[in-house]
Structures are given as C-alpha cells and as structure tokens.
C-alpha cells in the first residue's frame, strides 16, 4: 500500500512537472520556475484550492436540508445530491484519462513486473475526483448532526457513487479512448456528437439542481412515491437512508457489484495500455494535394481536429453555454427573444470565450517539443490559437442570432458581432498570455488569478465596443460599435505581426 501511494505521488509530480515545463512564461525564468514547481507538486495544496471552489456550491446545496426536518424532503434532496459526485467521477475519469496517458507517464511502468498498472492511473484520477466530496460535505455534516445514522449512510452512498462513476468511466476509456486509428472511422462523427451532448448534460446539471431545490421541497411526496418505485436503482436507492436495514442491504449489493466492475475495468485498461487496438479503413491511394491557407490555417485545423476527437478539450469551449442557457431558457419560455436579449447574449458569449484559452493551450500535449522544431513563428502560433479559440463561440453566437432573427428580423443587423466579439476576446487573451519576451513558442500556464484578470480585461474591451450601441440609437450606434471592434482587431493583429 505504501508503494502504491509513493508511485502515485511520483506520477502526480511528473504530470504537473510536464505542465509547468511547457509553460514558457515560467520555464524561461528560473526563479519563477522553481516557485511554480513547488506549488504545483503539492497534492495537499492543489486539493485545498480546488475544494475551496466547490465548497461554496456545497453550502448552497445544503440549504434545503438545513431548513427542513421533513424526512421525505431530505431523502428526495439526498438523491439529487448523491448524483453530483457520481456524474463528476464518471466525467473526470472518462475525459482526463486520455490526456494523462497521452503524456507518456505510464511508459516506464510497462517494463516493470506490475500486474495491474492501471491501478496507479485510477488512484491518480481519484485525487482530482475527491474534490467533488466538497459539494456534498456541507449537506452530509448537517445530516450527521440532525440524524447521525442516516447521515453516515448518506456518506457511504456518496462514496459508492464515486466508485461507480469511476469504474464506468474507466470502462468507457478502455473501450473508446485507447484505440489507435490510422484513418477516421465511420462512426467517429456520431461518437463525437454523443460526447458533445454528454458535456451539455453535465454542465447543465449544476444549474438544474440549483433550480430544482425549491421544486423538490414543494413536491417531495410525489418524488418519494416515484423513488419508491425504482428504489433498487441508483441514485434512487439513496432515498432509503431513513430505512437503515434496507439501505445497508442495497449498499452491500452495490459495493460488491461495483467492486467487480472496478477490477474488470482497471484490468482491461492496463491490457489496452500495454497492447492498444489499432483500427483502420481501406482506402485508395491518392496523389499529394497541398492545402490552402498556409501555416496559420494548418495549425488551426490541427487544433480543431484534436478538440473534436478528445472530449476533454471540448469542455473549455462549452462553458459559455452554461451561462447562456438560463437566459435563453427564460426568453424562450416567454415565447419571445428580442433584439436586446440577443445583443446581451452575444456579448456574454464573447466574454466567456475567455474560458476556452486553457483548453486550446492544452491541445498540444507532448507534441509541443516537435512543434518547436518546425518553422513556426510566435505570431503565427498566437493567431492560430486565437482562431481556434474563437470558432466554437462563433458557432454558438450564430445559433443565438438565428433564433433571434426568427422572432425579430431586425436582429440580423447584429450579425457582425458573431465574428467580431469572440475574435476580439480571443486575440486579446492570447496577446496577454504570450506577452513573454523572445520568439520561442510554448504553452503558458493559466492559474485562477490570471483567469480572473483575463475576464476583467476582456470585460473592459467589450464595454468599449458595446457602450456606443447601447447609448446611441441605431444604426449610428451600431456603426460606431462595429468600427471600434474592427479598429481593436486591426491594432491587435498589427501588434502580433510586429
């Protein structure tokens, strides 16, 4: 057991060392490199910072249990709460496994006399998964104070849910994440579509749960009746916490079944890591055809291909949907989406394009060293990243604009914002991240403080662009706004090329 933890600690340190090493802002500054490395290699410090971000959401979720002593209400809320770490565990395992393995961390383990090396991958992922406990911890503490035995059963169900999600995630990774494809398979497009839909569902979960708090409390008896019909199935079985004997029987059965699935999953993952399956298709030999667009287009196309192949890369780009969806839902519920509402949503999408920076910079993985051997200038690299970062927000903005035009044809006059806003934000973000001296390309690391600073700066930029359209009547206000957006694009492009 001690050896297991020691190897996992080494893998964790190596993973974060690789991340820091690829950051040119840090790697070229010895003093900053040592300081950053010291912080990054500390498991306890990283867990504490991540848990702090989740604990506030957990306190909000606990409000329903704090304000109620009704066991039917509490059991209904416990079901929804237990679902959060289960989905979090499944999501993190399924999307992060490929990134960790792609860095080559497990190559040295292949030559060692290790029976199931994937156990180390499992423990490494569980470090990040463990922060999800912060979401349910406040609720669990309240339950333990009010109903000690039932609170303990709730905690056990949460742990079983985490193990279940992790096991299923490992199985998914072994089936879809470890294959080497020489050609794009016929089902790849459909599989990527399901991945995107799954991400939508995951990111909308927290929003849905927060809005369901009041509804669950008011209709707890109906929920209890529904859960009672399907109480054998997880997470409905969590509703049995106020029937200790029945709950223990279900817990024991789930633990045994999930333990078997877990062992099967890690065994299959290790087998696939040692001998990955190779898939290919028959194809006709064709002559070489040069692509158009040059270096920047090639780099952008490469990024987009990687993004749509790897689910984890999509996450950062779909964050704007999490913030746009509530406002969009409210507007559609009223049966109208006005030009003013579309205006606000387009600027919101533009601002939250910032969240895609981290994902687009992690596309390279261990290929960064190879890219440095190519004749790629720093300016070309920055432009390609900005274009890649802005494309998905542009698509989302186009969908919003199309929907708005359906309700009000005058909304079509906002079409320049679809391109100008995400592109402005992406270019400014990349200029700030690649502000280091020298011509070397690299992967700047983004921490929480830098993300906040980027959002603040981009907010100021969007305010300058949007205020004229807000205070001056159309079409003059829109014309001035578009002119400011075009001018800022010109100045940033000049800065990059210069």
């Amino acid at each position: 057991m001690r050896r297991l933890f020691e190897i996992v600690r080494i893998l964790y340190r190596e993973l974060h060392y690789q991340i820091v090493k690829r950051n040119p802002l840090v790697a070229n500054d010895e003093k900053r490199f040592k300081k950053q490395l010291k912080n990054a290699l500390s498991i306890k410090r990283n867990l504490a910072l991540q848990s702090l971000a989740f604990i506030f959401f957990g306190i909000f979720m606990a409000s329903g249990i704090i304000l109620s002593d009704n066991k039917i209400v509490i059991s209904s809320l416990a079901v929804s709460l237990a679902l959060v770490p289960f989905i979090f565990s499944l999501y993190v395992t399924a999307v992060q496994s490929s990134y960790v393995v792609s860095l080559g961390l497990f190559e040295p383990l292949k030559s060692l006399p290790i029976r199931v090396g994937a156990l180390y991958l499992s423990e490494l992922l569980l470090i990040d998964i463990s922060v999800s406990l912060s979401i349910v911890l406040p609720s669990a503490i309240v339950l333990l104070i009010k109903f000690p035995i039932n609170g303990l059963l709730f905690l056990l169900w949460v742990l079983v849910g985490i193990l279940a999600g992790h096991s299923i995630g490992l199985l998914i990774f072994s089936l879809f994440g470890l294959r080497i494809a020489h050609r794009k398979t016929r089902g790849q497009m459909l599989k990527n579509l399901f991945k995107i839909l799954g991400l939508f569902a995951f990111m909308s979960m927290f929003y849905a749960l927060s809005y369901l708090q009041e509804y669950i409390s008011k209709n707890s008896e109906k929920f209890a009746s529904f859960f009672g019909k399907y109480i054998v199935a997880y997470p409905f079985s969590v509703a049995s916490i106020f029937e200790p004997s029945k709950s223990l029987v279900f817990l024991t059965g789930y633990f045994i079944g999930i333990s078997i699935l877990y062992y099967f999953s890690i065994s299959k993952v290790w087998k696939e890591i040692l001998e990955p399956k190779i898939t290919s298709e028959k194809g006709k030999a064709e002559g070489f055809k040069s692509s158009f667009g040059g270096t920047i287009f090639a780099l952008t196309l490469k990024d987009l291909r990687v993004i749509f192949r790897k689910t984890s890369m999509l996450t950062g780009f779909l964050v704007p949907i999490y913030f746009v969806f509530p406002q969009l839902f409210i507007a559609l519920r009223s049966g109208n989406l006005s030009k003013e509402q579309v205006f606000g949503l387009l600027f919101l999408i533009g601002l939250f394009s910032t969240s895609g920076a981290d994902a687009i910079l992690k596309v390279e993985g261990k290929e960064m060293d190879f890219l440095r051997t190519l004749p790629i200038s720093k300016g070309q690299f920055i432009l390609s990243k900005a274009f890649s970062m802005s494309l998905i927000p542009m698509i989302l903005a186009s969908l919003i604009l199309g929907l708005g035009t359906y309700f009000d044809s005058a909304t079509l006059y906002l079409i320049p914002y679809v391109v100008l806003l995400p592109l402005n934000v992406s270019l400014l973000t990349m200029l700030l991240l690649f502000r280091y001296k020298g011509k070397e390309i690299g992967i700047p690391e983004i921490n929480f403080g830098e993300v906040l600073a980027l959002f603040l700066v981009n907010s100021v930029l969007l305010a300058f662009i949007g205020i004229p359209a807000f205070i001056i009547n159309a079409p003059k206000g829109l014309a001035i706004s578009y002119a400011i957006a075009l001018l800022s694009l010109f100045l940033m492009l000049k800065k990059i090329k210069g």
Side-chain angles (χ1 to χ4, degrees), residues 250-463:
F250 290 153
L251 264 172
T252 304
Y254 268 98
F255 180 74
I256 293 172
I258 292 167
S259 297
I260 294 171
L261 177 63
Y262 175 72
Y263 179 78
F264 172 78
S265 299
I266 59 172
S267 299
K268 186 170 177 59
V269 167
W270 186 238
K271 182 180 178 181
E272 295 293 330
I273 288 176
L274 291 174
E275 298 177 5
K277 291 181 181 179
I278 300 175
T279 59
S280 61
E281 290 181 344
K282 292 181 180 180
K284 296 180 181 179
E286 298 178 355
F288 172 76
K289 294 180 180 180
S290 60
S291 61
F292 65 92
T295 304
I296 296 173
F297 177 81
L299 288 171
T300 303
L301 188 61
K302 181 266 300 177
D303 285 347
L304 295 175
R305 283 174 174 171
V306 174
I307 289 166
F308 282 99
R309 276 203 306 264
K310 294 186 177 181
T311 315
S312 57
M313 300 300 174
L314 277 169
T315 311
F317 296 96
L318 300 180
V319 168
I321 298 173
Y322 179 83
F323 296 94
V324 170
F325 180 75
Q327 288 80 7
L328 188 61
F329 176 78
I330 293 169
L332 291 177
R333 192 175 182 182
S334 64
N336 182 44
L337 189 62
S338 67
K339 183 174 67 176
E340 291 74 21
Q341 287 173 316
V342 173
F343 178 85
L345 289 173
L346 291 179
F347 273 80
L348 193 62
I349 292 170
L351 176 60
F352 281 98
S353 300
T354 310
S355 61
D358 188 44
I360 201 64
L361 291 175
K362 285 184 177 177
V363 164
E364 312 304 344
K366 62 181 180 181
E367 284 75 33
M368 192 67 243
D369 294 334
F370 170 73
L371 287 177
R372 285 171 175 163
T373 65
L374 301 178
I376 300 171
S377 68
K378 184 179 176 182
Q380 289 173 329
F381 193 69
I382 292 173
L383 280 175
S384 70
K385 291 299 177 188
F387 292 150
S388 303
M389 178 180 162
S390 61
L391 183 65
I392 294 178
M394 285 181 190
I395 294 173
L396 179 58
S398 299
L399 294 174
I400 298 296
L401 184 75
L403 191 60
T405 305
Y406 173 80
F407 289 105
D408 184 356
S409 59
T411 305
L412 196 61
Y413 291 111
L414 301 177
I415 194 169
Y417 284 136
V418 170
V419 175
L420 292 176
L421 299 183
L423 199 53
N424 263 283
V425 168
S426 300
L427 282 171
L428 181 57
T429 299
M430 288 301 152
L431 273 172
L432 292 172
L433 290 175
F434 285 87
R435 63 187 180 277
Y436 59 87
K437 295 180 180 180
K439 299 180 179 180
E440 183 183 19
I441 62 174
I443 306 297
E445 187 179 0
I446 306 177
N447 56 41
F448 185 70
E450 287 176 331
V451 170
L452 290 179
L454 288 171
F455 269 100
L456 180 62
V457 173
N458 283 323
S459 298
V460 173
L461 173 64
L462 292 177

Side-chain angles (χ1 to χ4, degrees), residues 224-270:
S225 176
F226 175 78
F227 296 155
K229 295 178 182 179
Y230 305 97
I231 198 159
V232 176
Y234 187 89
F236 306 128
S237 51
V238 181
S240 66
I241 59 174
F242 287 103
E243 299 176 82
S245 299
K246 184 188 289 187
S247 193
L248 280 172
V249 171
F250 290 153
L251 264 172
T252 304
Y254 268 98
F255 180 74
I256 293 172
I258 292 167
S259 297
I260 294 171
L261 177 63
Y262 175 72
Y263 179 78
F264 172 78
S265 299
I266 59 172
S267 299
K268 186 170 177 59
V269 167
W270 186 238

Side-chain angles (χ1 to χ4, degrees), residues 193-237:
L193 178 62
F194 279 117
K195 288 179 181 180
I196 295 171
L197 292 175
L199 283 169
F200 285 164
F202 174 77
M203 286 189 291
S204 64
M205 177 189 63
F206 295 100
Y207 167 75
L209 283 174
S210 62
Y211 276 81
L212 279 172
Q213 288 282 324
E214 185 178 352
Y215 182 76
I216 290 174
S217 298
K218 290 181 179 179
N219 299 274
S220 56
E221 291 186 6
K222 293 180 181 179
F223 276 94
S225 176
F226 175 78
F227 296 155
K229 295 178 182 179
Y230 305 97
I231 198 159
V232 176
Y234 187 89
F236 306 128
S237 51

